[in-house]
Amino acid sequence: MDAAIAEVRAIYRAVDERPIQRNCLQRRECCHFRLTGRTPYLTRGEALTAAKALRASGRTRMPARLDGCCPFLNAATGKCMIYNDRPFGCRTHFCAAAGGPYARHEIADLVQRLERIDRELGGDGAHVLHSAVSDALQELR
Ligand code: SF4
Ligand code: SF4
């Protein structure tokens, strides 16, 4: 499991280093799922990585949010609690004002690596953020 998490982190570094121009204006709309109508889906390796980051922050359960925002969005600071380990979708989805999401062909190789890790961990594809990370937290116990 640790090797899978290390590979997921390497994929995150790789996508962050891609020279694809986007101009994020820090409006943080993308963390407000009710506003955007979109919720990130995580493969098993991403979910384990997010769960590990949450545990490292001293939490053992998914934070509760009733306002349609991502549970990882800190209500007090307005910042992502697991920013360094935020899922792939959070690194590749940009609002229209910021230049729009990455095109599939720009990141297809990295998506395929995440899918391979998912299969190796016995996963069955990506699941919606909340349930994917809740399951991963159980697995880390
Ligand atoms: S990509 Fe857009 S919605 Fe997301 S944080 Fe940046 S400005 Fe905000
Ligand atoms: S994981 Fe972090 S960056 Fe991604 S939607 Fe949630 S708060 Fe935003």
Side-chain angles (χ1 to χ4, degrees), residues 8 10-16 18 40-43 46-47 49-50 85-94 102-104 106-114 129:
V8 168
I11 293 167
Y12 289 168
R13 282 196 298 279
V15 73
D16 290 347
R18 293 258 154 119
Y41 275 63
L42 278 64
T43 55
E46 291 172 89
T49 305
D85 284 313
R86 68 197 187 286
F88 193 76
C90 304
R91 296 162 193 268
T92 55
H93 175 81
F94 291 85
Y102 284 7
R104 171 92 189 182
E106 292 171 309
I107 48 172
D109 57 324
L110 300 178
V111 172
Q112 283 162 11
R113 282 172 66 186
L114 288 170
L129 182 143

PDB file of all heavy atoms in Angstrom, residues 8 10-16 18 40-43 46-47 49-50 85-94 102-104 106-114 129:
ATOM      1  N   VAL A   8       1.349   7.192  -6.509  1.00  0.00           N
ATOM      2  CA  VAL A   8       0.315   8.222  -6.730  1.00  0.00           C
ATOM      3  C   VAL A   8       0.932   9.611  -6.539  1.00  0.00           C
ATOM      4  O   VAL A   8       0.703  10.525  -7.341  1.00  0.00           O
ATOM      5  CB  VAL A   8      -0.886   8.005  -5.770  1.00  0.00           C
ATOM      6  CG1 VAL A   8      -1.816   9.212  -5.785  1.00  0.00           C
ATOM      7  CG2 VAL A   8      -1.652   6.747  -6.164  1.00  0.00           C
ATOM      8  N   ALA A  10       3.986  10.443  -6.995  1.00  0.00           N
ATOM      9  CA  ALA A  10       4.866  10.721  -8.142  1.00  0.00           C
ATOM     10  C   ALA A  10       4.026  11.194  -9.339  1.00  0.00           C
ATOM     11  O   ALA A  10       4.429  12.092 -10.094  1.00  0.00           O
ATOM     12  CB  ALA A  10       5.657   9.469  -8.503  1.00  0.00           C
ATOM     13  N   ILE A  11       2.838  10.601  -9.500  1.00  0.00           N
ATOM     14  CA  ILE A  11       1.941  11.020 -10.592  1.00  0.00           C
ATOM     15  C   ILE A  11       1.475  12.452 -10.348  1.00  0.00           C
ATOM     16  O   ILE A  11       1.410  13.265 -11.275  1.00  0.00           O
ATOM     17  CB  ILE A  11       0.751  10.035 -10.694  1.00  0.00           C
ATOM     18  CG1 ILE A  11       1.247   8.663 -11.154  1.00  0.00           C
ATOM     19  CG2 ILE A  11      -0.339  10.579 -11.631  1.00  0.00           C
ATOM     20  CD1 ILE A  11       0.234   7.537 -10.991  1.00  0.00           C
ATOM     21  N   TYR A  12       1.175  12.784  -9.108  1.00  0.00           N
ATOM     22  CA  TYR A  12       0.754  14.154  -8.788  1.00  0.00           C
ATOM     23  C   TYR A  12       1.886  15.149  -9.115  1.00  0.00           C
ATOM     24  O   TYR A  12       1.641  16.231  -9.656  1.00  0.00           O
ATOM     25  CB  TYR A  12       0.387  14.278  -7.305  1.00  0.00           C
ATOM     26  CG  TYR A  12      -0.890  13.589  -6.889  1.00  0.00           C
ATOM     27  CD1 TYR A  12      -1.202  13.419  -5.543  1.00  0.00           C
ATOM     28  CD2 TYR A  12      -1.802  13.117  -7.834  1.00  0.00           C
ATOM     29  CE1 TYR A  12      -2.374  12.801  -5.140  1.00  0.00           C
ATOM     30  CE2 TYR A  12      -2.971  12.492  -7.434  1.00  0.00           C
ATOM     31  CZ  TYR A  12      -3.262  12.337  -6.089  1.00  0.00           C
ATOM     32  OH  TYR A  12      -4.409  11.739  -5.686  1.00  0.00           O
ATOM     33  N   ARG A  13       3.107  14.758  -8.774  1.00  0.00           N
ATOM     34  CA  ARG A  13       4.239  15.659  -9.084  1.00  0.00           C
ATOM     35  C   ARG A  13       4.358  15.815 -10.596  1.00  0.00           C
ATOM     36  O   ARG A  13       4.604  16.902 -11.109  1.00  0.00           O
ATOM     37  CB  ARG A  13       5.550  15.096  -8.519  1.00  0.00           C
ATOM     38  CG  ARG A  13       5.720  15.301  -7.023  1.00  0.00           C
ATOM     39  CD  ARG A  13       7.161  15.085  -6.587  1.00  0.00           C
ATOM     40  NE  ARG A  13       7.641  13.734  -6.838  1.00  0.00           N
ATOM     41  CZ  ARG A  13       7.400  12.682  -6.054  1.00  0.00           C
ATOM     42  NH1 ARG A  13       6.685  12.831  -4.952  1.00  0.00           N
ATOM     43  NH2 ARG A  13       7.868  11.481  -6.332  1.00  0.00           N
ATOM     44  N   ALA A  14       4.157  14.707 -11.302  1.00  0.00           N
ATOM     45  CA  ALA A  14       4.293  14.744 -12.768  1.00  0.00           C
ATOM     46  C   ALA A  14       3.252  15.676 -13.391  1.00  0.00           C
ATOM     47  O   ALA A  14       3.570  16.458 -14.287  1.00  0.00           O
ATOM     48  CB  ALA A  14       4.168  13.333 -13.342  1.00  0.00           C
ATOM     49  N   VAL A  15       2.017  15.603 -12.917  1.00  0.00           N
ATOM     50  CA  VAL A  15       0.988  16.467 -13.528  1.00  0.00           C
ATOM     51  C   VAL A  15       1.260  17.929 -13.175  1.00  0.00           C
ATOM     52  O   VAL A  15       1.069  18.824 -14.013  1.00  0.00           O
ATOM     53  CB  VAL A  15      -0.457  16.037 -13.156  1.00  0.00           C
ATOM     54  CG1 VAL A  15      -0.837  16.361 -11.731  1.00  0.00           C
ATOM     55  CG2 VAL A  15      -1.464  16.681 -14.111  1.00  0.00           C
ATOM     56  N   ASP A  16       1.742  18.162 -11.959  1.00  0.00           N
ATOM     57  CA  ASP A  16       2.026  19.549 -11.570  1.00  0.00           C
ATOM     58  C   ASP A  16       3.171  20.149 -12.387  1.00  0.00           C
ATOM     59  O   ASP A  16       3.266  21.372 -12.525  1.00  0.00           O
ATOM     60  CB  ASP A  16       2.360  19.619 -10.071  1.00  0.00           C
ATOM     61  CG  ASP A  16       1.124  19.346  -9.199  1.00  0.00           C
ATOM     62  OD1 ASP A  16       0.005  19.344  -9.743  1.00  0.00           O
ATOM     63  OD2 ASP A  16       1.291  19.113  -7.987  1.00  0.00           O
ATOM     64  N   ARG A  18       3.689  19.441 -15.594  1.00  0.00           N
ATOM     65  CA  ARG A  18       3.343  19.556 -17.027  1.00  0.00           C
ATOM     66  C   ARG A  18       3.205  21.033 -17.406  1.00  0.00           C
ATOM     67  O   ARG A  18       2.530  21.790 -16.689  1.00  0.00           O
ATOM     68  CB  ARG A  18       2.013  18.849 -17.325  1.00  0.00           C
ATOM     69  CG  ARG A  18       2.071  17.350 -17.171  1.00  0.00           C
ATOM     70  CD  ARG A  18       2.168  16.650 -18.490  1.00  0.00           C
ATOM     71  NE  ARG A  18       2.812  15.376 -18.290  1.00  0.00           N
ATOM     72  CZ  ARG A  18       2.255  14.201 -18.556  1.00  0.00           C
ATOM     73  NH1 ARG A  18       1.041  14.133 -19.061  1.00  0.00           N
ATOM     74  NH2 ARG A  18       2.919  13.088 -18.366  1.00  0.00           N
ATOM     75  N   PRO A  40     -15.286  15.448  -7.511  1.00  0.00           N
ATOM     76  CA  PRO A  40     -14.193  14.609  -8.021  1.00  0.00           C
ATOM     77  C   PRO A  40     -14.433  13.124  -7.744  1.00  0.00           C
ATOM     78  O   PRO A  40     -14.989  12.765  -6.710  1.00  0.00           O
ATOM     79  CB  PRO A  40     -12.974  15.095  -7.227  1.00  0.00           C
ATOM     80  CG  PRO A  40     -13.361  16.394  -6.635  1.00  0.00           C
ATOM     81  CD  PRO A  40     -14.846  16.379  -6.477  1.00  0.00           C
ATOM     82  N   TYR A  41     -13.991  12.301  -8.668  1.00  0.00           N
ATOM     83  CA  TYR A  41     -13.992  10.844  -8.499  1.00  0.00           C
ATOM     84  C   TYR A  41     -12.548  10.410  -8.289  1.00  0.00           C
ATOM     85  O   TYR A  41     -11.649  10.894  -8.983  1.00  0.00           O
ATOM     86  CB  TYR A  41     -14.587  10.160  -9.732  1.00  0.00           C
ATOM     87  CG  TYR A  41     -16.099  10.080  -9.685  1.00  0.00           C
ATOM     88  CD1 TYR A  41     -16.873  11.242  -9.664  1.00  0.00           C
ATOM     89  CD2 TYR A  41     -16.745   8.850  -9.633  1.00  0.00           C
ATOM     90  CE1 TYR A  41     -18.252  11.180  -9.594  1.00  0.00           C
ATOM     91  CE2 TYR A  41     -18.132   8.784  -9.570  1.00  0.00           C
ATOM     92  CZ  TYR A  41     -18.878   9.948  -9.544  1.00  0.00           C
ATOM     93  OH  TYR A  41     -20.249   9.878  -9.473  1.00  0.00           O
ATOM     94  N   LEU A  42     -12.344   9.498  -7.327  1.00  0.00           N
ATOM     95  CA  LEU A  42     -10.987   9.084  -6.979  1.00  0.00           C
ATOM     96  C   LEU A  42     -10.798   7.592  -7.224  1.00  0.00           C
ATOM     97  O   LEU A  42     -11.648   6.780  -6.844  1.00  0.00           O
ATOM     98  CB  LEU A  42     -10.715   9.340  -5.488  1.00  0.00           C
ATOM     99  CG  LEU A  42     -10.321  10.747  -5.054  1.00  0.00           C
ATOM    100  CD1 LEU A  42     -11.442  11.742  -5.317  1.00  0.00           C
ATOM    101  CD2 LEU A  42      -9.975  10.744  -3.571  1.00  0.00           C
ATOM    102  N   THR A  43      -9.664   7.254  -7.808  1.00  0.00           N
ATOM    103  CA  THR A  43      -9.273   5.845  -7.880  1.00  0.00           C
ATOM    104  C   THR A  43      -8.810   5.419  -6.478  1.00  0.00           C
ATOM    105  O   THR A  43      -8.622   6.257  -5.590  1.00  0.00           O
ATOM    106  CB  THR A  43      -8.123   5.668  -8.883  1.00  0.00           C
ATOM    107  OG1 THR A  43      -7.062   6.546  -8.499  1.00  0.00           O
ATOM    108  CG2 THR A  43      -8.569   5.967 -10.304  1.00  0.00           C
ATOM    109  N   GLU A  46      -5.632   7.044  -5.136  1.00  0.00           N
ATOM    110  CA  GLU A  46      -5.844   8.448  -4.758  1.00  0.00           C
ATOM    111  C   GLU A  46      -6.582   8.547  -3.424  1.00  0.00           C
ATOM    112  O   GLU A  46      -6.275   9.409  -2.589  1.00  0.00           O
ATOM    113  CB  GLU A  46      -6.683   9.144  -5.820  1.00  0.00           C
ATOM    114  CG  GLU A  46      -6.008   9.359  -7.144  1.00  0.00           C
ATOM    115  CD  GLU A  46      -7.035   9.874  -8.141  1.00  0.00           C
ATOM    116  OE1 GLU A  46      -7.214  11.096  -8.221  1.00  0.00           O
ATOM    117  OE2 GLU A  46      -7.687   9.041  -8.811  1.00  0.00           O
ATOM    118  N   ALA A  47      -7.576   7.656  -3.248  1.00  0.00           N
ATOM    119  CA  ALA A  47      -8.367   7.686  -2.012  1.00  0.00           C
ATOM    120  C   ALA A  47      -7.491   7.334  -0.814  1.00  0.00           C
ATOM    121  O   ALA A  47      -7.580   7.966   0.244  1.00  0.00           O
ATOM    122  CB  ALA A  47      -9.537   6.720  -2.130  1.00  0.00           C
ATOM    123  N   THR A  49      -4.291   7.787  -0.607  1.00  0.00           N
ATOM    124  CA  THR A  49      -3.366   8.909  -0.426  1.00  0.00           C
ATOM    125  C   THR A  49      -4.056  10.053   0.318  1.00  0.00           C
ATOM    126  O   THR A  49      -3.486  10.641   1.247  1.00  0.00           O
ATOM    127  CB  THR A  49      -2.848   9.385  -1.798  1.00  0.00           C
ATOM    128  OG1 THR A  49      -2.269   8.261  -2.470  1.00  0.00           O
ATOM    129  CG2 THR A  49      -1.817  10.488  -1.658  1.00  0.00           C
ATOM    130  N   ALA A  50      -5.301  10.343  -0.059  1.00  0.00           N
ATOM    131  CA  ALA A  50      -6.061  11.407   0.620  1.00  0.00           C
ATOM    132  C   ALA A  50      -6.348  11.007   2.069  1.00  0.00           C
ATOM    133  O   ALA A  50      -6.233  11.831   2.988  1.00  0.00           O
ATOM    134  CB  ALA A  50      -7.373  11.675  -0.128  1.00  0.00           C
ATOM    135  N   ASP A  85      -1.723  16.542  -1.139  1.00  0.00           N
ATOM    136  CA  ASP A  85      -2.172  15.222  -1.573  1.00  0.00           C
ATOM    137  C   ASP A  85      -3.565  15.285  -2.182  1.00  0.00           C
ATOM    138  O   ASP A  85      -4.268  14.279  -2.216  1.00  0.00           O
ATOM    139  CB  ASP A  85      -2.157  14.249  -0.379  1.00  0.00           C
ATOM    140  CG  ASP A  85      -0.744  13.806  -0.037  1.00  0.00           C
ATOM    141  OD1 ASP A  85       0.002  13.444  -0.973  1.00  0.00           O
ATOM    142  OD2 ASP A  85      -0.373  13.841   1.145  1.00  0.00           O
ATOM    143  N   ARG A  86      -3.977  16.459  -2.648  1.00  0.00           N
ATOM    144  CA  ARG A  86      -5.312  16.582  -3.235  1.00  0.00           C
ATOM    145  C   ARG A  86      -5.387  15.704  -4.480  1.00  0.00           C
ATOM    146  O   ARG A  86      -4.375  15.485  -5.163  1.00  0.00           O
ATOM    147  CB  ARG A  86      -5.648  18.045  -3.549  1.00  0.00           C
ATOM    148  CG  ARG A  86      -4.818  18.655  -4.655  1.00  0.00           C
ATOM    149  CD  ARG A  86      -4.931  20.164  -4.605  1.00  0.00           C
ATOM    150  NE  ARG A  86      -4.281  20.806  -5.763  1.00  0.00           N
ATOM    151  CZ  ARG A  86      -2.979  20.925  -5.937  1.00  0.00           C
ATOM    152  NH1 ARG A  86      -2.136  20.411  -5.067  1.00  0.00           N
ATOM    153  NH2 ARG A  86      -2.505  21.534  -7.001  1.00  0.00           N
ATOM    154  N   PRO A  87      -6.605  15.203  -4.766  1.00  0.00           N
ATOM    155  CA  PRO A  87      -6.758  14.238  -5.867  1.00  0.00           C
ATOM    156  C   PRO A  87      -6.371  14.791  -7.244  1.00  0.00           C
ATOM    157  O   PRO A  87      -6.289  15.999  -7.457  1.00  0.00           O
ATOM    158  CB  PRO A  87      -8.254  13.912  -5.824  1.00  0.00           C
ATOM    159  CG  PRO A  87      -8.721  14.308  -4.460  1.00  0.00           C
ATOM    160  CD  PRO A  87      -7.852  15.441  -4.027  1.00  0.00           C
ATOM    161  N   PHE A  88      -6.197  13.849  -8.138  1.00  0.00           N
ATOM    162  CA  PHE A  88      -5.813  14.186  -9.517  1.00  0.00           C
ATOM    163  C   PHE A  88      -6.818  15.162 -10.149  1.00  0.00           C
ATOM    164  O   PHE A  88      -6.436  16.115 -10.825  1.00  0.00           O
ATOM    165  CB  PHE A  88      -5.752  12.888 -10.331  1.00  0.00           C
ATOM    166  CG  PHE A  88      -5.096  13.020 -11.659  1.00  0.00           C
ATOM    167  CD1 PHE A  88      -3.719  13.100 -11.778  1.00  0.00           C
ATOM    168  CD2 PHE A  88      -5.854  13.030 -12.824  1.00  0.00           C
ATOM    169  CE1 PHE A  88      -3.106  13.207 -13.027  1.00  0.00           C
ATOM    170  CE2 PHE A  88      -5.251  13.136 -14.070  1.00  0.00           C
ATOM    171  CZ  PHE A  88      -3.877  13.226 -14.165  1.00  0.00           C
ATOM    172  N   GLY A  89      -8.102  14.898  -9.920  1.00  0.00           N
ATOM    173  CA  GLY A  89      -9.140  15.757 -10.516  1.00  0.00           C
ATOM    174  C   GLY A  89      -9.018  17.203 -10.063  1.00  0.00           C
ATOM    175  O   GLY A  89      -9.327  18.128 -10.816  1.00  0.00           O
ATOM    176  N   CYS A  90      -8.563  17.407  -8.825  1.00  0.00           N
ATOM    177  CA  CYS A  90      -8.404  18.770  -8.299  1.00  0.00           C
ATOM    178  C   CYS A  90      -7.203  19.465  -8.934  1.00  0.00           C
ATOM    179  O   CYS A  90      -7.067  20.678  -8.853  1.00  0.00           O
ATOM    180  CB  CYS A  90      -8.222  18.737  -6.789  1.00  0.00           C
ATOM    181  SG  CYS A  90      -9.561  17.891  -5.932  1.00  0.00           S
ATOM    182  N   ARG A  91      -6.311  18.675  -9.564  1.00  0.00           N
ATOM    183  CA  ARG A  91      -5.121  19.232 -10.214  1.00  0.00           C
ATOM    184  C   ARG A  91      -5.335  19.446 -11.702  1.00  0.00           C
ATOM    185  O   ARG A  91      -4.518  20.091 -12.360  1.00  0.00           O
ATOM    186  CB  ARG A  91      -3.929  18.268 -10.037  1.00  0.00           C
ATOM    187  CG  ARG A  91      -3.524  18.103  -8.605  1.00  0.00           C
ATOM    188  CD  ARG A  91      -2.680  16.862  -8.409  1.00  0.00           C
ATOM    189  NE  ARG A  91      -2.561  16.568  -7.005  1.00  0.00           N
ATOM    190  CZ  ARG A  91      -1.570  16.994  -6.200  1.00  0.00           C
ATOM    191  NH1 ARG A  91      -0.571  17.691  -6.692  1.00  0.00           N
ATOM    192  NH2 ARG A  91      -1.575  16.706  -4.917  1.00  0.00           N
ATOM    193  N   THR A  92      -6.417  18.899 -12.230  1.00  0.00           N
ATOM    194  CA  THR A  92      -6.612  18.947 -13.681  1.00  0.00           C
ATOM    195  C   THR A  92      -7.926  19.612 -14.089  1.00  0.00           C
ATOM    196  O   THR A  92      -8.134  19.875 -15.259  1.00  0.00           O
ATOM    197  CB  THR A  92      -6.586  17.520 -14.268  1.00  0.00           C
ATOM    198  OG1 THR A  92      -7.557  16.717 -13.599  1.00  0.00           O
ATOM    199  CG2 THR A  92      -5.214  16.892 -14.116  1.00  0.00           C
ATOM    200  N   HIS A  93      -8.788  19.858 -13.088  1.00  0.00           N
ATOM    201  CA  HIS A  93     -10.033  20.561 -13.406  1.00  0.00           C
ATOM    202  C   HIS A  93      -9.865  22.037 -13.072  1.00  0.00           C
ATOM    203  O   HIS A  93      -9.563  22.388 -11.941  1.00  0.00           O
ATOM    204  CB  HIS A  93     -11.232  20.010 -12.626  1.00  0.00           C
ATOM    205  CG  HIS A  93     -12.463  20.821 -12.893  1.00  0.00           C
ATOM    206  ND1 HIS A  93     -13.222  20.637 -14.029  1.00  0.00           N
ATOM    207  CD2 HIS A  93     -13.006  21.867 -12.238  1.00  0.00           C
ATOM    208  CE1 HIS A  93     -14.192  21.535 -14.037  1.00  0.00           C
ATOM    209  NE2 HIS A  93     -14.083  22.287 -12.965  1.00  0.00           N
ATOM    210  N   PHE A  94     -10.058  22.873 -14.040  1.00  0.00           N
ATOM    211  CA  PHE A  94     -10.029  24.316 -13.817  1.00  0.00           C
ATOM    212  C   PHE A  94     -11.325  24.898 -14.354  1.00  0.00           C
ATOM    213  O   PHE A  94     -11.868  24.413 -15.339  1.00  0.00           O
ATOM    214  CB  PHE A  94      -8.829  24.960 -14.541  1.00  0.00           C
ATOM    215  CG  PHE A  94      -7.518  24.569 -13.928  1.00  0.00           C
ATOM    216  CD1 PHE A  94      -6.886  23.399 -14.302  1.00  0.00           C
ATOM    217  CD2 PHE A  94      -6.931  25.360 -12.952  1.00  0.00           C
ATOM    218  CE1 PHE A  94      -5.684  23.019 -13.718  1.00  0.00           C
ATOM    219  CE2 PHE A  94      -5.731  24.992 -12.365  1.00  0.00           C
ATOM    220  CZ  PHE A  94      -5.101  23.822 -12.746  1.00  0.00           C
ATOM    221  N   TYR A 102      -8.080  20.288 -18.077  1.00  0.00           N
ATOM    222  CA  TYR A 102      -7.082  19.723 -18.977  1.00  0.00           C
ATOM    223  C   TYR A 102      -7.786  18.797 -19.966  1.00  0.00           C
ATOM    224  O   TYR A 102      -8.725  18.090 -19.610  1.00  0.00           O
ATOM    225  CB  TYR A 102      -6.062  18.892 -18.202  1.00  0.00           C
ATOM    226  CG  TYR A 102      -5.032  19.688 -17.433  1.00  0.00           C
ATOM    227  CD1 TYR A 102      -5.097  21.064 -17.315  1.00  0.00           C
ATOM    228  CD2 TYR A 102      -3.973  19.032 -16.814  1.00  0.00           C
ATOM    229  CE1 TYR A 102      -4.146  21.762 -16.609  1.00  0.00           C
ATOM    230  CE2 TYR A 102      -3.007  19.735 -16.103  1.00  0.00           C
ATOM    231  CZ  TYR A 102      -3.103  21.102 -16.010  1.00  0.00           C
ATOM    232  OH  TYR A 102      -2.158  21.798 -15.305  1.00  0.00           O
ATOM    233  N   ALA A 103      -7.304  18.778 -21.194  1.00  0.00           N
ATOM    234  CA  ALA A 103      -7.841  17.847 -22.187  1.00  0.00           C
ATOM    235  C   ALA A 103      -7.328  16.448 -21.868  1.00  0.00           C
ATOM    236  O   ALA A 103      -6.206  16.287 -21.371  1.00  0.00           O
ATOM    237  CB  ALA A 103      -7.387  18.260 -23.579  1.00  0.00           C
ATOM    238  N   ARG A 104      -8.149  15.457 -22.160  1.00  0.00           N
ATOM    239  CA  ARG A 104      -7.797  14.061 -21.849  1.00  0.00           C
ATOM    240  C   ARG A 104      -6.419  13.688 -22.431  1.00  0.00           C
ATOM    241  O   ARG A 104      -5.610  13.055 -21.765  1.00  0.00           O
ATOM    242  CB  ARG A 104      -8.911  13.158 -22.401  1.00  0.00           C
ATOM    243  CG  ARG A 104      -8.614  11.684 -22.359  1.00  0.00           C
ATOM    244  CD  ARG A 104      -9.095  11.024 -21.102  1.00  0.00           C
ATOM    245  NE  ARG A 104      -8.599   9.656 -21.031  1.00  0.00           N
ATOM    246  CZ  ARG A 104      -8.873   8.810 -20.067  1.00  0.00           C
ATOM    247  NH1 ARG A 104      -9.645   9.183 -19.085  1.00  0.00           N
ATOM    248  NH2 ARG A 104      -8.380   7.603 -20.052  1.00  0.00           N
ATOM    249  N   GLU A 106      -3.871  15.390 -22.853  1.00  0.00           N
ATOM    250  CA  GLU A 106      -2.737  16.026 -22.167  1.00  0.00           C
ATOM    251  C   GLU A 106      -2.284  15.220 -20.947  1.00  0.00           C
ATOM    252  O   GLU A 106      -1.159  15.388 -20.468  1.00  0.00           O
ATOM    253  CB  GLU A 106      -3.121  17.449 -21.717  1.00  0.00           C
ATOM    254  CG  GLU A 106      -3.336  18.406 -22.882  1.00  0.00           C
ATOM    255  CD  GLU A 106      -3.926  19.757 -22.449  1.00  0.00           C
ATOM    256  OE1 GLU A 106      -4.942  19.781 -21.739  1.00  0.00           O
ATOM    257  OE2 GLU A 106      -3.353  20.780 -22.837  1.00  0.00           O
ATOM    258  N   ILE A 107      -3.188  14.375 -20.439  1.00  0.00           N
ATOM    259  CA  ILE A 107      -2.893  13.670 -19.179  1.00  0.00           C
ATOM    260  C   ILE A 107      -3.235  12.187 -19.248  1.00  0.00           C
ATOM    261  O   ILE A 107      -3.232  11.503 -18.226  1.00  0.00           O
ATOM    262  CB  ILE A 107      -3.679  14.320 -18.010  1.00  0.00           C
ATOM    263  CG1 ILE A 107      -5.157  14.518 -18.392  1.00  0.00           C
ATOM    264  CG2 ILE A 107      -3.041  15.630 -17.572  1.00  0.00           C
ATOM    265  CD1 ILE A 107      -6.046  14.957 -17.264  1.00  0.00           C
ATOM    266  N   ALA A 108      -3.501  11.676 -20.461  1.00  0.00           N
ATOM    267  CA  ALA A 108      -3.976  10.286 -20.609  1.00  0.00           C
ATOM    268  C   ALA A 108      -3.000   9.286 -20.005  1.00  0.00           C
ATOM    269  O   ALA A 108      -3.413   8.310 -19.374  1.00  0.00           O
ATOM    270  CB  ALA A 108      -4.220   9.978 -22.081  1.00  0.00           C
ATOM    271  N   ASP A 109      -1.695   9.520 -20.164  1.00  0.00           N
ATOM    272  CA  ASP A 109      -0.716   8.561 -19.635  1.00  0.00           C
ATOM    273  C   ASP A 109      -0.778   8.483 -18.111  1.00  0.00           C
ATOM    274  O   ASP A 109      -0.666   7.406 -17.518  1.00  0.00           O
ATOM    275  CB  ASP A 109       0.701   8.947 -20.097  1.00  0.00           C
ATOM    276  CG  ASP A 109       1.083  10.369 -19.678  1.00  0.00           C
ATOM    277  OD1 ASP A 109       0.216  11.262 -19.679  1.00  0.00           O
ATOM    278  OD2 ASP A 109       2.255  10.584 -19.331  1.00  0.00           O
ATOM    279  N   LEU A 110      -1.000   9.632 -17.480  1.00  0.00           N
ATOM    280  CA  LEU A 110      -1.064   9.652 -16.007  1.00  0.00           C
ATOM    281  C   LEU A 110      -2.365   9.016 -15.522  1.00  0.00           C
ATOM    282  O   LEU A 110      -2.378   8.300 -14.511  1.00  0.00           O
ATOM    283  CB  LEU A 110      -0.933  11.092 -15.496  1.00  0.00           C
ATOM    284  CG  LEU A 110       0.368  11.803 -15.891  1.00  0.00           C
ATOM    285  CD1 LEU A 110       0.372  13.242 -15.385  1.00  0.00           C
ATOM    286  CD2 LEU A 110       1.586  11.057 -15.359  1.00  0.00           C
ATOM    287  N   VAL A 111      -3.457   9.241 -16.252  1.00  0.00           N
ATOM    288  CA  VAL A 111      -4.737   8.598 -15.898  1.00  0.00           C
ATOM    289  C   VAL A 111      -4.585   7.084 -15.982  1.00  0.00           C
ATOM    290  O   VAL A 111      -5.039   6.345 -15.098  1.00  0.00           O
ATOM    291  CB  VAL A 111      -5.868   9.088 -16.835  1.00  0.00           C
ATOM    292  CG1 VAL A 111      -7.158   8.289 -16.613  1.00  0.00           C
ATOM    293  CG2 VAL A 111      -6.122  10.576 -16.634  1.00  0.00           C
ATOM    294  N   GLN A 112      -3.888   6.630 -17.013  1.00  0.00           N
ATOM    295  CA  GLN A 112      -3.691   5.174 -17.169  1.00  0.00           C
ATOM    296  C   GLN A 112      -2.876   4.598 -16.023  1.00  0.00           C
ATOM    297  O   GLN A 112      -3.144   3.495 -15.547  1.00  0.00           O
ATOM    298  CB  GLN A 112      -3.019   4.873 -18.506  1.00  0.00           C
ATOM    299  CG  GLN A 112      -3.998   4.968 -19.665  1.00  0.00           C
ATOM    300  CD  GLN A 112      -3.319   5.096 -21.013  1.00  0.00           C
ATOM    301  OE1 GLN A 112      -2.114   4.908 -21.126  1.00  0.00           O
ATOM    302  NE2 GLN A 112      -4.093   5.440 -22.024  1.00  0.00           N
ATOM    303  N   ARG A 113      -1.895   5.348 -15.536  1.00  0.00           N
ATOM    304  CA  ARG A 113      -1.108   4.868 -14.384  1.00  0.00           C
ATOM    305  C   ARG A 113      -1.985   4.784 -13.135  1.00  0.00           C
ATOM    306  O   ARG A 113      -1.896   3.825 -12.369  1.00  0.00           O
ATOM    307  CB  ARG A 113       0.081   5.804 -14.134  1.00  0.00           C
ATOM    308  CG  ARG A 113       1.228   5.575 -15.112  1.00  0.00           C
ATOM    309  CD  ARG A 113       2.309   6.634 -14.986  1.00  0.00           C
ATOM    310  NE  ARG A 113       3.027   6.612 -13.729  1.00  0.00           N
ATOM    311  CZ  ARG A 113       3.926   7.539 -13.377  1.00  0.00           C
ATOM    312  NH1 ARG A 113       4.208   8.534 -14.202  1.00  0.00           N
ATOM    313  NH2 ARG A 113       4.548   7.459 -12.222  1.00  0.00           N
ATOM    314  N   LEU A 114      -2.849   5.782 -12.943  1.00  0.00           N
ATOM    315  CA  LEU A 114      -3.757   5.735 -11.783  1.00  0.00           C
ATOM    316  C   LEU A 114      -4.713   4.555 -11.896  1.00  0.00           C
ATOM    317  O   LEU A 114      -5.022   3.892 -10.891  1.00  0.00           O
ATOM    318  CB  LEU A 114      -4.544   7.047 -11.674  1.00  0.00           C
ATOM    319  CG  LEU A 114      -3.752   8.274 -11.222  1.00  0.00           C
ATOM    320  CD1 LEU A 114      -4.572   9.542 -11.379  1.00  0.00           C
ATOM    321  CD2 LEU A 114      -3.293   8.126  -9.761  1.00  0.00           C
ATOM    322  N   LEU A 129     -15.737  11.176  -4.291  1.00  0.00           N
ATOM    323  CA  LEU A 129     -14.766  11.522  -3.246  1.00  0.00           C
ATOM    324  C   LEU A 129     -15.147  11.047  -1.842  1.00  0.00           C
ATOM    325  O   LEU A 129     -14.352  10.366  -1.182  1.00  0.00           O
ATOM    326  CB  LEU A 129     -14.537  13.040  -3.263  1.00  0.00           C
ATOM    327  CG  LEU A 129     -13.514  13.603  -2.271  1.00  0.00           C
ATOM    328  CD1 LEU A 129     -12.722  14.743  -2.898  1.00  0.00           C
ATOM    329  CD2 LEU A 129     -14.185  14.097  -1.010  1.00  0.00           C
TER     330      LEU A 129
END
